[in-house]
Amino acid sequence: MSRRIFFWVEGQEHNLGDSVLRRGMFNAVRTAEPLHVYVGACGPEYLSSFTFGHEDVLYRSLTGWYLAALKSSLIRKTHLFMSAGEAIADRRSIPMRVANTLVALTSSLRRGGVYQAGVGLRKPKGRFLLPLKINARAASFVSWRDSWSRDQVGVGSVTPDWAVLEGTNDRELAQRSPGDRITVSLRGDKEWPTPAWRSQIGVVAEALALRPTFVSQVEVDNELAQSLADEFGGDVVLWDGSDHRILENELRSLYSESCFVISDRLHVLILALTEGAVPIASGAQEPEKSIRTLRALGIEGINIDLVSPSESAVSSFEALAGRRSELLEALKNARVAARRTGDALTQRVMS
């Protein structure tokens, strides 16, 4: 075969956002040719989110995957797609950065390449940013899912998070009416929201005649979601060990019935938007990552302070409900940009 394509889909098994965003990229750039895919220790529950061809080769060992890519790059055109999602500039990431750079250098000799698309830096950015900078400069293509990440490294463009490509299509979303739920999905592994924050949910739900609903897209959020459900009543969907496809379908159906989805998790907000709900970025602390990543989609002003609101929370929610068409148009444009990126990457691989 004239070329080989290596792809990374491994992610956190108990975090639905990891599989959704990686699947968005996987589907956007894959061709009919067999892939060499790093899946790590991910079990069938996580991998149910992906459709692999019968000729695709799955790798459990990261070292084995990199060695196979390096060997391939010495004898044929080889393309390697790095992991999308969050990049952490810590000591543990250095070997991976070195391996990516090495494959980038060897693959370039036969007109192959290494591609980093749709990555965002974690804040605080960490003390080991230099290997990531070297990695980015060696890569054939680099894009970030927010401007701050791009500015820290100084290389590449800004493109939407790959998760925007999943979910209901634009035409159906434009015809869908707002739902009657107010859905909440918050981080349970950090500070929980205050009684004042929680009380605002009840106020808004009652004023706007919405059904409180509580969701956990990540296993560590189960306890908080259940606590909120016990406090307010309403429906609750917890992480129960089901495969990612089953849980995703259940949550997408629920988000399609939601007028608002409130979360401090980025991919709760993106999944909600791709099902027609108005995303509200809010939690015990300001969800900085969500705000900067959604800004790259052309979406701003969706964070509402529910801890100490300076005006009526109900008015703030009503104002955002009035922007629903604007938000769906921004999603439509973000999908066009993401598809354009996917097409550009596919063209590079197939040329």
Side-chain angles (χ1 to χ4, degrees):
M1 188 173 294
S2 61
R3 60 180 156 254
R4 276 192 183 166
I5 304 167
F6 290 77
F7 212 100
W8 181 313
V9 304
E10 185 266 353
Q12 296 178 14
E13 288 196 90
H14 307 298
N15 184 340
L16 186 63
D18 272 23
S19 60
V20 174
L21 79 92
R22 287 169 175 80
R23 187 181 73 233
M25 181 179 175
F26 183 78
N27 290 342
V29 303
R30 81 159 301 161
T31 67
E33 298 186 23
L35 296 178
H36 292 252
V37 187
Y38 173 59
V39 300
C42 293
E45 294 81 11
Y46 178 93
L47 297 177
S48 67
S49 193
F50 302 87
T51 301
F52 299 114
H54 69 279
E55 294 185 346
D56 291 345
V57 181
L58 306 187
Y59 293 73
R60 295 292 181 180
S61 166
L62 182 57
T63 300
W65 184 71
Y66 273 124
L67 287 175
L70 182 60
K71 179 180 178 180
S72 175
S73 69
L74 295 172
I75 59 177
R76 65 174 65 83
K77 185 183 292 186
T78 298
H79 304 277
L80 185 146
F81 288 88
M82 295 157 57
S83 176
E86 190 167 62
I88 305 173
D90 60 3
R91 188 187 302 274
R92 290 183 299 175
S93 69
I94 293 176
M96 178 182 67
R97 307 296 174 203
V98 172
N100 285 330
T101 301
L102 186 58
V103 174
L105 294 174
T106 56
S107 63
S108 65
L109 299 175
R110 296 185 178 275
R111 297 176 52 245
V114 168
Y115 311 97
Q116 173 187 298
V119 175
L121 280 178
R122 176 181 291 183
K123 277 191 177 181
K125 61 186 178 184
R127 297 186 295 115
F128 298 92
L129 193 59
L130 181 59
L132 197 153
K133 288 184 175 182
I134 295 172
N135 198 165
R137 282 163 174 76
S140 303
F141 179 93
V142 179
S143 73
W144 306 90
R145 65 185 185 185
D146 67 89
S147 297
W148 177 82
S149 297
R150 187 268 317 276
D151 293 345
Q152 298 306 303
V153 178
V155 176
S157 60
V158 178
T159 55
D161 186 278
W162 291 104
V164 300
L165 292 177
E166 303 300 295
T168 300
N169 66 61
D170 298 320
R171 179 176 297 180
E172 288 184 51
L173 288 180
Q175 298 172 349
R176 181 175 290 171
S177 300
D180 64 351
R181 296 181 185 270
I182 181 169
T183 298
V184 180
S185 182
L186 298 176
R187 297 189 70 105
D189 58 343
K190 295 188 176 181
E191 180 183 356
W192 285 18
T194 63
W197 191 100
R198 296 155 79 114
S199 70
Q200 292 297 318
I201 301 300
V203 169
V204 173
E206 182 175 0
L208 301 182
L210 299 173
R211 292 186 287 163
T213 305
F214 304 94
V215 164
S216 170
Q217 257 191 213
V218 184
E219 187 177 40
V220 295
D221 299 344
N222 277 358
E223 185 179 357
L224 176 54
Q226 187 63 65
S227 174
L228 292 169
D230 292 342
E231 180 177 346
F232 291 98
D235 297 327
V236 60
V237 177
L238 302 178
W239 187 283
D240 63 358
S242 299
D243 71 39
H244 281 227
R245 272 291 190 184
I246 292 174
L247 179 61
E248 182 182 345
N249 290 339
E250 184 176 4
L251 292 182
R252 286 191 180 279
S253 177
L254 188 150
Y255 294 152
S256 73
E257 300 170 357
S258 300
C259 183
F260 304 101
V261 175
I262 306 165
S263 185
D264 50 4
R265 285 199 180 274
L266 169 62
H267 288 100
V268 171
L269 298 174
I270 292 180
L271 263 72
L273 179 63
T274 59
E275 296 304 329
V278 173
I280 308 289
S282 186
Q285 298 177 338
E286 184 177 68
E288 180 273 335
K289 180 174 77 173
S290 297
I291 293 170
R292 64 180 156 100
T293 307
L294 290 170
R295 186 178 295 126
L297 275 61
I299 294 174
E300 298 197 59
I302 60 166
N303 50 311
I304 297 179
D305 181 8
L306 295 177
V307 177
S308 53
S310 58
E311 57 184 30
S312 166
V314 175
S315 298
S316 297
F317 275 77
E318 289 177 325
L320 273 175
R323 293 178 54 200
R324 182 172 180 268
S325 296
E326 170 198 329
L327 298 176
L328 292 179
E329 184 66 20
L331 171 65
K332 181 178 178 180
N333 293 335
R335 284 172 160 173
V336 170
R339 291 189 189 101
R340 188 180 300 122
T341 301
D343 290 345
L345 288 169
T346 302
Q347 186 174 4
R348 282 173 176 260
V349 169
M350 299 303 293
S351 64

